[in-house]
Amino acid sequence: MLPRETMSAFNKLVEEKFPGAILNKELESKVATILEKRGITPANTLLCTSLCCDELARSLEDDLKKIYGHNFNLGGLSGFPFAGTTGFSAMAAHVPDGGYCLLVHGPHVGITKDGIIGKVERSGIALVDNCCGSAIAASNYLQAITDGTANINPKIQSFSDFQQGAVQELILPFGKRLNDAENRMKELPYALYDSQDILIRDIISSGSKGIKSGLALLGGIQINTSPDTSDYFHPLRFDFYDGNGVVVEDMLPSLMENHRKKRREMY
Ligand SMILES: [Zn+2]
């Protein structure tokens, strides 16, 4: 573990770069408490995730698994819900009778100890490399199209790399937004989140008949940090859907309540 002062300076840096980001352990305990109050408990809930294939995306998932048990995985590269409506229907059928689903989704982004967004230190690897690699590859593809040095060809029909082909197709509408961004690497996960949000809404709406008592949806950006600092999550949506697939409550304000105060208590 790093010295307390270094840790606190790093926390400050992350909060400056990503206002609204909260430490994973704070997120996990608050989510569990908020849901428990609504009768959504580890015993009656199936965890479902749509997070990137990258092992760095597993920390949040593993912590949530400690509370809710094994997750149903909808996700693939960049965190897109590639298991789609078929995956969602299967997942919904696996929810305990009379129970709930907690669906957590989002892209991820790295931040180095000195604050470079889009890169992260990895355990046992000297090279400080891209994070999320899939998202950045898609962003570079889009940049080349915007610059006129490449043509649109996401190669989605190629089965050997079809998830990346789909990410490259899905990122196309964000050419101007990413080009105009002050920091392209910071804007990238938010653009991908917006794209995922559309897909997730679509998938939930198509599978709404299969929802049992209800579904809690937590969407946001995973922020991965070096092996000796804690990861963060920037929650962007925390909604409760009833058994008919209708959003009946916005739980985001409860999740964001007092988060700065809570962080100070932790460090
Ligand atoms: Zn990734």
Side-chain angles (χ1 to χ4, degrees):
M1 244 6 202
L2 292 172
R4 201 185 166 93
E5 310 79 62
T6 317
M7 200 73 120
S8 129
F10 181 69
N11 287 335
K12 222 170 140 227
L13 179 74
V14 175
E15 287 184 357
E16 272 165 25
K17 303 272 185 189
F18 296 98
I22 61 182
L23 282 163
N24 275 8
K25 56 183 164 183
E26 180 189 341
L27 174 88
E28 294 144 14
S29 74
K30 284 180 96 172
V31 164
T33 307
I34 292 166
L35 295 182
E36 187 102 31
K37 278 187 195 148
R38 284 157 183 79
I40 305 167
T41 67
N44 67 13
T45 301
L46 176 64
L47 173 66
C48 173
T49 57
S50 184
L51 303 165
C52 190
C53 303
D54 191 329
E55 71 280 5
L56 294 183
R58 301 287 77 75
S59 311
L60 173 67
E61 198 171 74
D62 288 348
D63 288 347
L64 290 168
K65 274 156 70 176
K66 282 181 200 148
I67 306 173
Y68 295 100
H70 287 305
N71 62 304
F72 189 107
N73 177 30
L74 285 183
L77 288 178
S78 282
F80 278 96
F82 286 123
T85 49
T86 300
F88 182 86
S89 299
M91 182 280 298
H94 303 168
V95 167
D97 289 339
Y100 301 88
C101 163
L102 167 59
L103 199 171
V104 180
H105 84 93
H108 69 131
V109 62
I111 180 168
T112 63
K113 280 179 186 159
D114 48 4
I116 298 168
I117 298 172
K119 291 193 179 289
V120 76
E121 298 89 351
R122 290 175 190 262
S123 179
I125 301 173
L127 180 70
V128 176
D129 207 4
N130 290 347
C131 175
C132 167
S134 156
I136 292 171
S139 165
N140 291 342
Y141 160 80
L142 180 56
Q143 179 87 67
I145 292 165
T146 317
D147 295 346
T149 56
N151 295 319
I152 295 177
N153 182 9
K155 300 190 183 129
I156 199 162
Q157 64 278 33
S158 159
F159 280 112
S160 58
D161 203 15
F162 72 93
Q163 287 197 2
Q164 186 59 21
V167 176
Q168 296 187 176
E169 178 87 9
L170 287 158
I171 204 176
L172 287 178
F174 301 107
K176 181 165 170 26
R177 176 168 164 185
L178 291 176
N179 231 27
D180 292 351
E182 203 179 304
N183 182 336
R184 187 178 179 97
M185 287 299 103
K186 181 176 168 181
E187 192 63 22
L188 182 59
Y190 290 93
L192 291 175
Y193 171 84
D194 287 344
S195 180
Q196 285 179 18
D197 186 53
I198 295 168
L199 285 181
I200 289 277
R201 283 175 196 268
D202 216 33
I203 289 169
I204 294 176
S205 156
S206 309
S208 61
K209 283 197 172 59
I211 296 175
K212 292 189 177 167
S213 293
L215 178 147
L217 184 138
L218 174 65
I221 314 287
Q222 275 203 82
I223 300 158
N224 296 124
T225 70
S226 78
D228 48 13
T229 48
S230 304
D231 283 354
Y232 280 75
F233 190 86
H234 183 190
L236 298 170
R237 184 150 93 92
F238 189 31
D239 280 342
F240 181 68
Y241 288 76
D242 67 10
N244 299 314
V246 176
V247 175
V248 287
E249 194 184 348
D250 175 7
M251 302 180 288
L252 194 59
S254 323
L255 185 59
M256 299 311 285
E257 215 172 42
N258 301 326
H259 90 267
R260 282 175 190 280
K261 183 173 162 278
K262 187 106 182 178
R263 181 183 66 79
R264 278 199 297 274
E265 284 164 10
M266 285 180 160
Y267 287 95

